[in-house]
Amino acid sequence: MRVFLYGTLLDPRVFRRMAGTLRPWRRARPARLPGCRRVALRGTPYPTLLRGAGEVAGLIATLPPRELARLVAYEG
């Protein structure tokens, strides 16, 4: 599955720790998500996306099922 990475998972150390591998991150491509902005999730230092004016830079990565399941568990 293709996913848009825009927050803590842009850090290769965090991605490897959470996904169990760095391979999908290394193959990821730069991407931009128009019509959204990145903001801090209320009461945390973690980013989330809100619709609105702007554009969010990140990466598009293709994740195999195992790595996707690990990242879903991390993201909650």
Side-chain angles (χ1 to χ4, degrees), residues 19-37:
T21 181
L22 198 54
R23 184 175 299 147
W25 189 90
R26 285 186 180 139
R27 294 180 179 165
R29 299 287 181 235
R32 295 196 171 278
L33 183 63
C36 288
R37 57 191 174 99

Side-chain angles (χ1 to χ4, degrees), residues 8-63:
T8 59
L9 293 172
L10 290 177
D11 182 329
R13 296 167 296 177
V14 174
F15 188 94
R16 183 190 331 229
R17 188 170 68 244
M18 296 302 119
T21 181
L22 198 54
R23 184 175 299 147
W25 189 90
R26 285 186 180 139
R27 294 180 179 165
R29 299 287 181 235
R32 295 196 171 278
L33 183 63
C36 288
R37 57 191 174 99
R38 183 171 45 198
V39 298
L41 188 59
R42 184 178 294 166
T44 75
Y46 305 111
T48 193
L49 298 178
L50 289 179
R51 288 186 182 181
E55 184 175 83
V56 177
L59 297 173
I60 290 284
T62 301
L63 300 176

